[in-house]
Amino acid sequence: LTARQSNATLASGGTEEGNRETEKRVAGLDLSGDFGGKVFWFAQGLWNQWDGFLDPGKEYNWFGGFAGIDYVRDERWVFSTLYNYADGDDFDDTDTVYEGIDLNSLTLGASYYFMRNVKGVVEANYDFLDEEEQTGTFHTGHLTREHYLLVGFDAAF
């Protein structure tokens, strides 16, 4: 992808649109497959380059991606593993929301299908990134570890 986007302003922690148009480029790879119709694997990686997005004289490069496996045990049970990673080091110490691009987590999940469009979900996530102290004016970056346990229902019609 090659496109133009509005810049972000530093005065708002990067949450407001600026008055300049900047160039961005995104290149990616998306792979998937299965083993015997029971184990499905998938992976995607995206490299990003944003020219002058915050500072007009700086090029911001970052990478993000994920990889996962779904095991379909039977028509009722599905077990999933998902690894997410993103590295936005060029945004470090910018005091903007873009410091939060960094991600490094592992999620394990189980789904039980009550009906075709209704399932129960249990999901646990472990965050590998360390806590960071707040620097600057805005609460940006990875200030806390973001582990979670989710139990819920999903209904799609």
Side-chain angles (χ1 to χ4, degrees):
L1 168 78
T2 299
R4 296 183 64 75
Q5 66 184 355
S6 295
N7 72 303
T9 62
L10 290 171
S12 67
T15 61
E16 293 181 12
E17 192 175 290
N19 58 6
R20 293 183 290 109
E21 288 289 312
T22 63
E23 296 289 329
K24 74 175 174 180
R25 283 166 288 294
V26 181
L29 182 63
D30 187 1
L31 302 169
S32 63
D34 73 279
F35 300 107
K38 287 262 193 207
V39 177
F40 298 85
W41 62 270
F42 49 92
Q44 185 179 90
L46 293 173
W47 168 82
N48 294 266
Q49 181 181 52
W50 297 354
D51 295 340
F53 184 66
L54 297 172
D55 176 344
K58 183 168 176 161
E59 182 179 278
Y60 298 88
N61 293 292
W62 59 280
F63 172 81
F66 59 83
I69 296 174
D70 290 333
Y71 169 59
V72 180
R73 189 179 125 205
D74 55 37
E75 64 185 28
R76 297 280 185 204
W77 286 100
V78 176
F79 300 93
S80 302
T81 302
L82 179 66
Y83 176 71
N84 284 288
Y85 178 83
D87 182 357
D89 283 343
D90 282 355
F91 291 102
D92 285 353
D93 302 319
T94 59
D95 197 22
T96 66
V97 295
Y98 299 98
E99 288 186 57
I101 288 175
D102 290 343
L103 176 68
N104 189 357
S105 70
L106 179 66
T107 307
L108 303 174
S111 299
Y112 179 81
Y113 287 81
F114 297 101
M115 297 184 300
R116 182 176 175 194
N117 293 338
V118 179
K119 68 179 176 178
V121 179
V122 175
E123 185 174 286
N125 182 75
Y126 184 82
D127 184 348
F128 293 103
L129 292 179
D130 292 328
E131 290 183 19
E132 292 181 12
E133 293 294 321
Q134 179 188 346
T135 59
T137 305
F138 302 99
H139 292 275
T140 59
H142 194 269
L143 302 178
T144 63
R145 301 216 50 197
E146 298 171 6
H147 311 302
Y148 68 82
L149 176 64
L150 172 114
V151 178
F153 290 93
D154 184 9
F157 296 95

